[in-house]
Structures are given as structure tokens and as C-alpha cells.
Amino acid sequence: MEQVLSESNLVISIDAMGGDKSPAVVIEGLALAHKRNPDIRFLVYGDEPKVTAEMDKYPALKDVCQIFHTEEFVHNEDKPSHVIRNRETSMYKAVEAVKEGKAAAVVSAGNTGALMAISKLVLKTIQKIHRPAIISIMPHMSGKYVMLDLGANTDCDGINLAEFAIMGNIFAKYALGIERPRVALMNIGAEEMKGKGEIHVAAHIVKNPHLNLNFIGYIEPHEIPNGKADVVVADGFSGNIALKSVEGTCNLIMKLIKQAVKQSFFAKLGLPFMIGASRKLKKTMDPRLYNGAMFVGLNGLSVKSHGGTDAFGFSIAVENAARLVRKDFVGSIRRELENIDLDELSQEACYEVY
């Protein structure tokens, strides 16, 4: 039965078979998301007997979910070139529901490359956007920031980076509630002439008054956690490395703290006095609170949950998708670019830089 979007029902399609512990984690995540957001409805694609068995544990879901049986699903080891030819997988069907207007967004914890490939093929890029990007929310000293691209495009020119800046600016407004986000380009130094030519071209474009961006210049990777910028823009190669470096450093710090406490008698004595601070630190650094990377620049919202997350983490990815749908994030990008000729601005920037 086809479900039609209405003002009272926010519909999200779900790939129930994506992730390390699907569909159990996915269905429990939907139950948590529905409890906090009773207006959300779900189109659930996957192995119906398995999905139904899990859904029986959460009776409230039966009134807000439609299950669509699929015999096949995308495996973690599947290549994107292979999955885009198979239109019968749960992931493909879930993305297709957005294209057909049955859902406003899709959420999957499956293979990242496959979801990106299917989303690009099915949803297509927004007119005037040359390449979509992966964006995510992360914590810094005084709150949160967004960073893109995190791996969709290993090579980018100046106009691609400028597009990322525009989309990141809108994303920060809606996802973080920042009225005028500070936008920065990641570079190897703050000096104007440092870095690659495409970064200089992007800088010339994004500081153009016509774009009305709050561009603060270049930012070095070590400055990002200090809260200097609200939007950090990079090519997908550099952004992905920066992201994984941050994640690795955070894990290292947490392990070193635990190790130091275990090895010190006096540190153990002081633990009761540190409970409040340690809980606050754990909550701030909890990766589940930042789950749900978005593929931005497409004619529809596609959200990638971490494959190893638990139910709470998956529910956060669903809520992040719902928040952007309510704000008409995709439509905002279209309207922002409607009267902007980025190709012309890029030509002017290239002339000045080169």
C-alpha cells in the first residue's frame, strides 16, 4: 500500500537490514525515536519475518510502521558498482521511496559507499550543485560544529569547496540553531598564500559579498576542537583523515585517563568527587549523540548511521533526519543557489589566484 506524505505525518524510509546488528538495533532505534517524536511514520524495508519478530517487542511501532519485504540486502563488503545494479535490496528500495515522494528522508546503517552511490544515482544532485558531500556534527570546546566533506569526494576544486561552504552554512543554521555560522576552510596554515590553489580559489569565492557567508578564513586542524569555527570545509580526503584522527585521539585520551586512574591509589580515592565531571565528559564525548552523517547536495535527504551503533545512536540519526526535513533543508539549498552563478564566481576567483 502506498503511503502519501502529509503535513501531519513526517515519513522516513528505513533500511532495516543495514548495520552490524540489524534488524534488532534498527527496530529498537525506531521505537526510541517514535517515543520522542510520535508524529514520525516509517516505511521499513527488509526481511519481513525478521523485522516483524523484532517489531513484536515494541507494540507502539505497529501503528506507525509499514513493512515492505525485500529478499536481498547490501553487505558491508559489496562494491558500490555492484549494488547500484540491484534494485531489489532493502537499501535501494528505501532510497527509492524518497525519490517517489513516499518518504521525506532515508536512514541506513549499511555500507557507506553503497548508500552514497545509490543515493546519487536515484536522487540525483540538486541543480547547480556539482558534487554532493558527507557532513556530520561533532563536539568542540564550547558546543558543536559541522564538517564536510568527510569522504564523498577525494579530489575537489575551488567551486566544489565553495558549494560545501554554502551547504554547511545552511546545515549549521538548521541542525545547530546558529543564526550566522562562522565558516572556515581547513588548510595547512592560516597565512593567505599557504595551501593548494583550489583552497585559495574557494576562499575568493566564499568571501564574495553576494554569498553573504560569515567567512573567517583558514583553519588548521589543531584549531578545530577549540571552537573557532561552526562550519569546517575540506575536500573528502583531508576531511576523512581529520575526522578519523580526531576519533582516534579521543579514544586514546579516554584510555589514558582510565589507565592513569587504575595505576594511582590516590586517583582511585578521588573518584567519588569526580563522578559529576566524568559523567559530563562521557556525555559530551559520546559518539552516539553525533550519529547520522548526511549526504547533502541531493534532491532528497539521505542519512548514514554508523554501522556499529546501538539503538540509541540509530534513534539520534533518525531524529537528525527528521529535524532537517522539518526545516526544509533540501529546499533551502535550492533557494540559496537560485540567484547565484558559482561558475562565474569561480572564473573570477581563478583569474585572481592564478
Side-chain angles (χ1 to χ4, degrees):
M1 182 177 71
E2 185 171 307
Q3 186 164 348
V4 180
L5 290 173
S6 70
E7 291 183 1
S8 59
N9 288 342
L10 193 166
V11 183
I12 296 177
S13 61
I14 304 295
D15 170 19
M17 309 310 292
D20 298 344
K21 297 179 180 179
S22 61
V25 164
V26 172
I27 301 306
E28 185 182 354
L30 295 186
L32 292 174
H34 171 63
K35 189 175 182 179
R36 298 191 295 263
N37 305 267
D39 64 318
I40 301 179
R41 302 294 184 266
F42 303 104
L43 308 183
V44 183
Y45 295 83
D47 186 319
E48 187 170 8
K50 292 182 179 179
V51 172
T52 301
E54 294 299 329
M55 203 169 288
D56 285 342
K57 301 174 185 177
Y58 312 98
L61 281 182
K62 292 185 179 181
D63 294 331
V64 296
C65 290
Q66 275 185 272
I67 302 173
F68 296 86
H69 179 66
T70 59
E71 295 283 348
E72 302 179 55
F73 62 94
V74 175
H75 299 82
N76 288 334
E77 64 274 12
D78 287 346
K79 294 181 179 180
S81 58
H82 170 71
V83 299
I84 60 175
R85 293 194 293 268
N86 186 354
R87 300 186 177 187
E88 301 304 317
T89 63
S90 56
M91 182 183 288
Y92 198 106
K93 291 292 185 182
V95 175
E96 200 170 41
V98 177
K99 178 188 177 183
E100 295 173 352
K102 298 175 184 177
V106 55
V107 181
S108 173
N111 183 318
T112 303
L115 183 61
M116 185 67 188
I118 293 173
S119 297
K120 287 175 67 176
L121 176 70
V122 175
L123 301 178
K124 311 297 183 185
T125 55
I126 293 173
Q127 189 176 8
K128 291 193 175 183
I129 291 290
H130 294 76
R131 294 185 186 180
I134 300 175
I135 189 169
S136 188
I137 302 171
M138 290 180 278
H140 59 47
M141 282 293 294
S142 54
K144 300 175 183 178
Y145 71 99
V146 301
M147 185 170 179
L148 72 168
D149 178 25
L150 297 179
N153 309 278
T154 54
D155 294 309
C156 296
D157 58 22
I159 196 168
N160 298 143
L161 295 173
E163 289 169 351
F164 298 165
I166 293 170
M167 294 189 290
N169 180 66
I170 299 171
F171 187 93
K173 285 181 181 179
Y174 292 164
L176 303 182
I178 301 173
E179 186 174 343
R180 189 159 170 76
R182 298 162 297 167
V183 180
L185 288 166
M186 191 170 75
N187 202 353
I188 59 172
E191 295 84 358
E192 188 174 340
M193 295 310 296
K194 278 200 171 181
K196 298 186 291 185
E198 52 265 34
I199 297 177
H200 301 158
V201 171
H204 276 78
I205 297 173
V206 298
K207 68 184 179 182
N208 189 297
H210 192 56
L211 296 184
N212 193 31
L213 296 177
N214 183 16
F215 179 56
I216 62 171
Y218 300 140
I219 187 169
E220 295 183 64
H222 73 273
E223 298 176 299
I224 295 174
N226 297 335
K228 181 179 178 181
D230 304 305
V231 180
V232 177
V233 179
D235 62 75
F237 185 84
S238 304
N240 191 273
I241 289 176
L243 171 65
K244 290 175 180 175
S245 297
V246 169
E247 291 175 340
T249 302
C250 289
N251 289 333
L252 173 63
I253 291 172
M254 297 302 291
K255 288 178 181 177
L256 289 176
I257 291 174
K258 290 179 181 179
Q259 188 180 59
V261 170
K262 287 181 180 179
Q263 294 176 349
S264 171
F265 173 74
F266 292 104
K268 291 178 182 177
L269 288 178
L271 277 178
F273 303 99
M274 294 292 292
I275 291 176
S278 61
R279 284 178 178 171
K280 184 178 180 181
L281 175 63
K282 185 178 180 180
K283 185 176 180 180
T284 302
M285 302 304 294
D286 188 347
R288 300 178 303 169
L289 294 171
Y290 310 100
N291 189 39
M294 316 283 176
F295 298 133
V296 295
L298 300 172
N299 287 300
L301 196 59
S302 182
V303 179
K304 171 64 175 73
S305 168
H306 195 287
T309 194
D310 61 9
F312 176 74
F314 193 84
S315 74
I316 294 297
V318 171
E319 289 185 330
N320 284 336
R323 184 180 300 111
L324 292 180
V325 170
R326 291 188 178 104
K327 297 283 188 178
D328 189 23
F329 174 67
V330 174
S332 297
I333 293 176
R334 291 197 190 99
R335 290 189 293 273
E336 190 80 16
L337 295 172
E338 192 173 5
N339 299 314
I340 297 173
D341 189 339
L342 283 174
D343 290 306
E344 183 178 335
L345 293 179
S346 176
Q347 290 176 1
E348 294 174 1
C350 287
Y351 179 77
E352 288 192 33
V353 171
Y354 300 112

Coordinates of all heavy atoms in Angstrom, one line a residue, residues 91 95 106-108 110-120 123-126 131-136 148-153 167 171 292-305 324 329-330 333:
M91 N 18.2 -1.4 0.9 CA 18.8 -0.1 0.8 C 18.3 0.7 -0.4 O 17.8 1.8 -0.4 CB 20.3 -0.2 0.8 CG 21.0 1.2 0.7 SD 22.8 1.1 0.6 CE 23.2 0.5 2.2
V95 N 15.8 4.1 -0.5 CA 16.2 5.4 -1.1 C 15.2 5.7 -2.2 O 14.8 6.9 -2.4 CB 17.6 5.2 -1.8 CG1 18.0 6.5 -2.6 CG2 18.7 5.0 -0.7
V106 N 15.7 9.1 4.0 CA 16.0 7.7 4.2 C 17.2 7.6 5.2 O 18.1 8.5 5.2 CB 16.5 7.1 2.9 CG1 17.6 7.9 2.2 CG2 16.9 5.6 3.1
V107 N 17.1 6.6 6.1 CA 18.2 6.4 7.0 C 18.6 4.9 6.9 O 17.8 4.0 6.9 CB 17.7 6.6 8.5 CG1 18.8 6.4 9.5 CG2 17.2 8.0 8.6
S108 N 20.0 4.7 6.8 CA 20.5 3.4 6.7 C 21.8 3.3 7.5 O 22.6 4.3 7.6 CB 20.8 3.0 5.3 OG 21.5 1.8 5.2
G110 N 23.9 0.9 6.7 CA 24.6 0.0 5.9 C 25.9 0.5 5.3 O 26.4 1.6 5.7
N111 N 26.4 -0.2 4.3 CA 27.7 0.2 3.6 C 27.6 1.6 3.1 O 26.8 2.0 2.3 CB 27.7 -0.8 2.4 CG 29.0 -0.6 1.6 OD1 29.4 0.5 1.3 ND2 29.6 -1.7 1.1
T112 N 28.6 2.4 3.6 CA 28.6 3.9 3.3 C 28.8 4.1 1.8 O 28.0 4.9 1.2 CB 29.8 4.6 4.0 OG1 29.6 4.3 5.4 CG2 29.8 6.1 3.7
G113 N 29.7 3.5 1.1 CA 29.9 3.7 -0.3 C 28.7 3.3 -1.1 O 28.3 4.0 -2.1
A114 N 28.1 2.2 -0.7 CA 26.9 1.8 -1.4 C 25.7 2.8 -1.3 O 25.0 3.1 -2.2 CB 26.4 0.4 -0.9
L115 N 25.5 3.3 0.0 CA 24.4 4.2 0.2 C 24.7 5.5 -0.6 O 23.8 6.1 -1.1 CB 24.3 4.5 1.7 CG 23.2 5.5 2.1 CD1 21.8 4.9 1.7 CD2 23.2 5.8 3.6
M116 N 26.0 5.9 -0.6 CA 26.3 7.2 -1.4 C 26.0 6.9 -2.9 O 25.4 7.8 -3.5 CB 27.8 7.5 -1.1 CG 28.2 8.8 -1.8 SD 27.4 10.2 -1.0 CE 27.8 11.6 -2.1
A117 N 26.5 5.8 -3.4 CA 26.3 5.5 -4.8 C 24.8 5.4 -5.2 O 24.4 6.0 -6.2 CB 27.0 4.2 -5.2
I118 N 24.0 4.7 -4.4 CA 22.6 4.6 -4.7 C 21.9 5.9 -4.6 O 21.0 6.3 -5.4 CB 22.0 3.5 -3.7 CG1 22.5 2.1 -4.0 CG2 20.5 3.5 -3.9 CD1 22.1 1.1 -3.0
S119 N 22.2 6.7 -3.5 CA 21.6 8.0 -3.3 C 21.9 8.9 -4.5 O 21.0 9.6 -4.9 CB 22.1 8.6 -2.0 OG 21.7 7.8 -0.9
K120 N 23.1 8.9 -4.9 CA 23.5 9.8 -6.1 C 22.8 9.4 -7.3 O 22.2 10.2 -8.1 CB 25.0 9.8 -6.3 CG 25.8 10.6 -5.3 CD 27.3 10.4 -5.5 CE 27.8 11.0 -6.7 NZ 29.2 11.0 -6.9
L123 N 18.6 9.8 -6.4 CA 18.0 11.1 -6.0 C 18.6 12.2 -6.9 O 18.0 13.3 -7.1 CB 18.4 11.4 -4.6 CG 17.8 10.4 -3.6 CD1 18.2 10.8 -2.1 CD2 16.3 10.4 -3.6
K124 N 19.8 12.0 -7.5 CA 20.5 13.0 -8.3 C 20.9 14.2 -7.5 O 20.3 14.5 -6.4 CB 19.6 13.5 -9.5 CG 18.9 12.4 -10.3 CD 19.9 11.5 -11.0 CE 19.2 10.4 -11.9 NZ 20.2 9.5 -12.5
T125 N 21.8 15.0 -8.0 CA 22.3 16.2 -7.3 C 21.3 17.4 -7.6 O 20.7 17.4 -8.7 CB 23.7 16.6 -7.8 OG1 23.8 16.7 -9.2 CG2 24.7 15.5 -7.3
I126 N 21.3 18.3 -6.7 CA 20.5 19.5 -6.8 C 21.1 20.3 -8.0 O 22.3 20.4 -8.2 CB 20.5 20.3 -5.5 CG1 19.8 19.6 -4.4 CG2 19.9 21.7 -5.8 CD1 19.9 20.2 -3.1
R131 N 28.8 18.5 -6.9 CA 29.0 17.2 -6.2 C 28.4 17.3 -4.8 O 28.4 18.3 -4.1 CB 30.5 17.0 -6.0 CG 31.3 16.8 -7.3 CD 32.7 16.4 -6.9 NE 33.6 16.3 -8.1 CZ 34.9 16.0 -8.1 NH1 35.5 15.9 -6.9 NH2 35.6 16.0 -9.2
P132 N 27.8 16.2 -4.4 CA 27.2 16.1 -3.0 C 28.4 15.9 -2.1 O 29.5 15.6 -2.5 CB 26.3 14.9 -3.1 CG 26.9 14.0 -4.2 CD 27.4 15.0 -5.2
A133 N 28.1 16.0 -0.8 CA 29.2 15.8 0.2 C 28.6 15.1 1.4 O 27.4 15.1 1.6 CB 29.8 17.2 0.6
I134 N 29.5 14.6 2.3 CA 29.1 14.0 3.5 C 29.4 15.0 4.6 O 30.5 15.5 4.7 CB 29.9 12.7 3.8 CG1 29.6 11.7 2.7 CG2 29.5 12.1 5.1 CD1 30.4 10.4 2.8
I135 N 28.4 15.2 5.5 CA 28.5 16.2 6.5 C 28.1 15.6 7.9 O 27.2 14.7 7.9 CB 27.7 17.5 6.3 CG1 28.0 18.6 7.3 CG2 26.2 17.1 6.3 CD1 27.4 19.9 6.9
S136 N 28.8 16.0 8.9 CA 28.4 15.4 10.2 C 28.6 16.5 11.3 O 29.3 17.5 11.1 CB 29.3 14.2 10.6 OG 28.8 13.6 11.7
L148 N 32.5 19.1 6.6 CA 32.3 18.5 5.3 C 33.4 18.9 4.4 O 34.0 19.9 4.6 CB 30.9 18.8 4.7 CG 30.7 20.2 4.1 CD1 29.4 20.3 3.3 CD2 30.7 21.3 5.1
D149 N 33.8 18.0 3.5 CA 33.3 16.7 3.1 C 34.1 15.7 3.9 O 35.3 15.9 4.1 CB 33.5 16.5 1.6 CG 33.1 15.2 1.1 OD1 32.2 14.5 1.7 OD2 33.6 14.8 0.0
L150 N 33.4 14.6 4.3 CA 34.0 13.6 5.1 C 34.3 12.3 4.4 O 34.5 11.3 5.0 CB 33.2 13.3 6.4 CG 33.0 14.5 7.3 CD1 32.0 14.1 8.4 CD2 34.3 15.0 7.8
G151 N 34.4 12.4 3.0 CA 34.8 11.2 2.3 C 34.1 11.0 1.0 O 34.5 10.0 0.3
A152 N 33.2 11.8 0.6 CA 32.5 11.5 -0.7 C 33.3 11.9 -1.9 O 33.2 11.3 -2.9 CB 31.2 12.3 -0.7
N153 N 34.2 12.9 -1.7 CA 35.0 13.4 -2.9 C 36.4 13.5 -2.5 O 36.8 14.4 -1.7 CB 34.5 14.7 -3.3 CG 33.0 14.7 -3.6 OD1 32.5 14.3 -4.6 ND2 32.2 15.2 -2.6
M167 N 26.4 24.8 1.6 CA 25.6 23.8 2.2 C 25.8 23.6 3.7 O 24.9 23.4 4.5 CB 25.8 22.5 1.5 CG 25.3 22.5 0.0 SD 25.3 20.9 -0.8 CE 27.0 20.5 -1.0
F171 N 23.2 24.0 6.8 CA 23.1 22.9 7.7 C 23.3 23.3 9.2 O 22.6 22.9 10.1 CB 24.2 21.8 7.4 CG 24.0 20.5 8.1 CD1 23.3 19.5 7.6 CD2 24.7 20.4 9.3 CE1 23.2 18.3 8.3 CE2 24.6 19.2 10.1 CZ 23.8 18.1 9.5
G292 N 24.8 9.9 12.6 CA 23.9 10.3 11.5 C 24.6 11.3 10.6 O 24.4 12.5 10.6
A293 N 25.5 10.8 9.7 CA 26.2 11.7 8.7 C 25.2 11.9 7.5 O 24.5 10.9 7.2 CB 27.5 11.1 8.2
M294 N 25.2 13.1 7.0 CA 24.2 13.4 5.9 C 24.9 13.5 4.6 O 26.0 14.0 4.5 CB 23.5 14.7 6.2 CG 23.1 14.9 7.6 SD 21.6 14.0 8.0 CE 21.4 14.4 9.7
F295 N 24.2 13.0 3.5 CA 24.7 13.2 2.2 C 23.9 14.5 1.7 O 22.7 14.4 1.4 CB 24.4 12.0 1.3 CG 25.1 10.8 1.7 CD1 24.4 9.6 1.7 CD2 26.4 10.8 2.0 CE1 25.0 8.4 2.1 CE2 27.0 9.6 2.4 CZ 26.3 8.4 2.4
V296 N 24.6 15.6 1.6 CA 24.0 16.8 1.3 C 24.3 17.2 -0.2 O 25.3 16.8 -0.7 CB 24.4 18.0 2.2 CG1 24.0 17.7 3.6 CG2 26.0 18.2 2.2
G297 N 23.4 17.9 -0.8 CA 23.5 18.3 -2.2 C 22.7 17.5 -3.1 O 22.7 17.6 -4.3
L298 N 21.9 16.6 -2.6 CA 21.0 15.7 -3.4 C 19.5 16.2 -3.3 O 19.2 16.9 -2.4 CB 21.1 14.3 -2.8 CG 22.4 13.6 -2.8 CD1 22.4 12.3 -2.1 CD2 22.9 13.4 -4.2
N299 N 18.7 15.7 -4.3 CA 17.3 16.0 -4.3 C 16.6 15.1 -3.3 O 15.6 14.4 -3.7 CB 16.8 15.9 -5.7 CG 17.2 17.0 -6.6 OD1 17.0 18.1 -6.4 ND2 17.9 16.6 -7.7
G300 N 16.9 15.1 -2.1 CA 16.3 14.3 -1.1 C 17.4 14.1 0.0 O 18.6 14.3 -0.2
L301 N 16.9 13.8 1.2 CA 17.8 13.6 2.3 C 18.1 12.2 2.6 O 17.3 11.3 2.8 CB 17.1 14.2 3.6 CG 18.0 14.6 4.8 CD1 19.1 15.5 4.4 CD2 17.2 15.1 5.9
S302 N 19.4 11.9 2.5 CA 19.9 10.5 2.8 C 20.9 10.6 4.0 O 21.8 11.3 4.0 CB 20.6 10.0 1.6 OG 21.1 8.7 1.8
V303 N 20.6 9.7 5.0 CA 21.3 9.8 6.3 C 22.0 8.5 6.5 O 21.4 7.4 6.5 CB 20.4 10.2 7.4 CG1 21.2 10.2 8.7 CG2 19.7 11.5 7.2
K304 N 23.3 8.5 6.8 CA 24.1 7.3 7.1 C 24.4 7.2 8.6 O 25.1 8.0 9.2 CB 25.4 7.4 6.3 CG 26.4 6.3 6.7 CD 25.9 4.9 6.4 CE 27.0 3.8 6.7 NZ 27.2 3.6 8.1
S305 N 23.8 6.2 9.2 CA 24.1 5.9 10.6 C 25.3 5.0 10.7 O 25.6 4.2 9.8 CB 22.9 5.1 11.3 OG 23.2 4.6 12.5
L324 N 15.9 18.0 10.0 CA 16.2 18.7 8.7 C 15.1 18.7 7.7 O 14.9 19.6 7.0 CB 17.5 18.1 8.0 CG 18.8 18.3 8.8 CD1 19.9 17.6 8.1 CD2 19.1 19.8 9.0
F329 N 15.4 21.5 4.6 CA 16.9 21.7 4.4 C 17.2 21.7 2.9 O 17.9 22.5 2.3 CB 17.7 20.6 5.1 CG 19.1 20.6 4.8 CD1 19.9 21.7 5.2 CD2 19.7 19.6 4.1 CE1 21.3 21.7 4.9 CE2 21.1 19.6 3.8 CZ 21.9 20.6 4.2
V330 N 16.7 20.6 2.2 CA 16.9 20.5 0.7 C 16.4 21.7 0.0 O 17.1 22.2 -0.9 CB 16.3 19.2 0.2 CG1 16.5 19.1 -1.3 CG2 17.0 18.0 0.9
I333 N 18.6 24.8 0.3 CA 19.8 24.8 -0.6 C 19.4 25.3 -2.0 O 20.1 26.1 -2.6 CB 20.5 23.4 -0.6 CG1 21.0 23.0 0.7 CG2 21.6 23.4 -1.7 CD1 21.6 21.6 0.8

